[in-house]
Amino acid sequence: MSTKNKLDLRGLVPAPVTPFTRDGAIDHAAIKRLGSWLGSFKGVKGLVVLGHAGEGTFLTADEQASVIESFVASTDGRVPVIAGITLEGTGVAAAEAKRAVKAGAKAGLLYPSHGWLRFGYQKGAPQDRYKAVYEESGLPLILFQYPDATKATYNLDTLMEIAAQPGVFAMKNGVRNMRRWDTEIPVIRKAHPDLQVLTCHDEYLLHTMFDVDGALVGYGNIAPELLIALIEAGKAQDYAKARALHDRLLPVTKAVYHRGSHMEGTVALKHALVTRGILEHATVRTPLLPLPAGADVEIADAMKSAGLVSDQPAAIAA
């Protein structure tokens, strides 16, 4: 069996937050509660931990490993756990991937070297990063396409070359340029039909839902049942149902993702999980800060308007 067929992520792949205790330690009991709940939904195909939503770069290496282990335990291994691989240098990223394998991760979401966000990358450097990390760790990798507004976004040639590598089995695409999305996704699909294409456009899900195998989104933390239904509507090319689900979720989208900084979305996700009864509080680590006074009420009201008020699955109605 080829690497590209080892994991089936064709559905919803939430990127869970990392819960903390009120004094800032990893809250492993809350991780197990969150992971168990997310893993109980039939359409959830994996959990991507230690990404932006999971505050992965704010944790020590030992903490990262413990988070992976706790999420693996949360579903008794039924749902694959995928680790964000974020360190800048290729060698240290490969070592990070090896630690993830040891902790129980079944795949890795490989971030671009973050220096590229400011300075851009040399031609061929992203391809080399994917090749080296896979060869040194054996961890199957998800190609991560960053927003077009950053210098760490990959052009089409780079995407195509990374997608052709044996270790790469899926793509998390967050280009956030719909012109590029509409023109590049068909080209990539034609050239690499086995590559699983996952949208990560939390705030643009409706536009991208008709072209993908699934969604790898932080949004999956808080509305898994509605996002699973949205993915199914997209695959069925049922625009009316997809639009109804989009409109139902729009107040939540605005409260969580239409904020001053996309990073605030992580804090907002935790408040939304409080509303659902999964977390007890929304503690984060710096450089994240608490949201302004009243934001928790705004988020709770938005969740309630969408019928997402407890840990019980919301009724799905178009």
Side-chain angles (χ1 to χ4, degrees), residues 134-212:
Y134 175 66
E135 289 182 351
E136 292 183 36
S137 69
L139 190 65
L141 297 174
I142 300 173
L143 164 57
F144 194 173
Q145 170 69 320
Y146 257 43
D148 186 68
T150 74
K151 292 183 179 181
T153 196
Y154 301 140
N155 61 32
L156 181 57
D157 287 343
T158 300
L159 289 172
M160 295 281 275
E161 290 176 8
I162 295 172
Q165 294 187 12
V168 177
F169 73 100
M171 172 175 62
K172 173 184 178 179
N173 192 300
V175 69
R176 286 174 169 77
N177 175 330
M178 295 303 107
R179 180 178 65 186
R180 287 191 63 187
W181 175 274
D182 290 339
T183 56
E184 292 180 359
I185 294 300
V187 174
I188 294 168
R189 277 206 173 281
K190 183 176 180 180
H192 302 289
D194 291 334
L195 186 77
Q196 298 172 47
V197 177
L198 309 172
T199 180
C200 71
H201 294 81
D202 301 82
E203 68 277 46
Y204 302 124
L205 287 177
L206 182 63
H207 183 98
T208 59
M209 199 52 65
F210 299 94
D211 305 307
V212 295

Side-chain angles (χ1 to χ4, degrees), residues 10 50 71 73 98 114 133 155 165 190 228 259 272-273 315:
R10 296 174 178 89
L50 303 177
F71 272 109
K98 290 179 183 178
H114 281 89
V133 170
N155 61 32
Q165 294 187 12
K190 183 176 180 180
I228 289 167
R259 310 196 71 86
L273 284 166

Side-chain angles (χ1 to χ4, degrees), residues 250-293:
L250 187 56
V252 179
T253 306
K254 291 169 65 177
V256 174
Y257 288 106
H258 295 182
R259 310 196 71 86
S261 162
H262 193 79
M263 289 299 292
E264 293 180 51
T266 294
V267 197
L269 288 172
K270 290 189 173 183
H271 282 293
L273 284 166
V274 171
T275 300
R276 294 219 68 168
I278 305 300
L279 297 186
E280 296 179 358
H281 52 87
T283 302
V284 292
R285 281 192 179 175
T286 56
L288 289 178
L289 299 173
L291 297 181

Side-chain angles (χ1 to χ4, degrees), residues 3-4 6-7 9 82-86 90 93-94 96-98 100-101 105-111 126-144 162-163 165-172 195-196 198 216:
T3 299
K4 294 183 186 298
K6 283 185 177 179
L7 286 178
L9 302 183
I82 299 150
I85 307 300
T86 61
T90 300
E96 183 182 14
K98 290 179 183 178
V101 171
K106 299 301 183 185
L109 173 64
L110 184 56
Y111 283 62
Q127 296 90 318
D128 177 72
R129 180 172 171 85
Y130 279 84
K131 182 176 184 292
V133 170
Y134 175 66
E135 289 182 351
E136 292 183 36
S137 69
L139 190 65
L141 297 174
I142 300 173
L143 164 57
F144 194 173
I162 295 172
Q165 294 187 12
V168 177
F169 73 100
M171 172 175 62
K172 173 184 178 179
L195 186 77
Q196 298 172 47
L198 309 172
L216 197 173

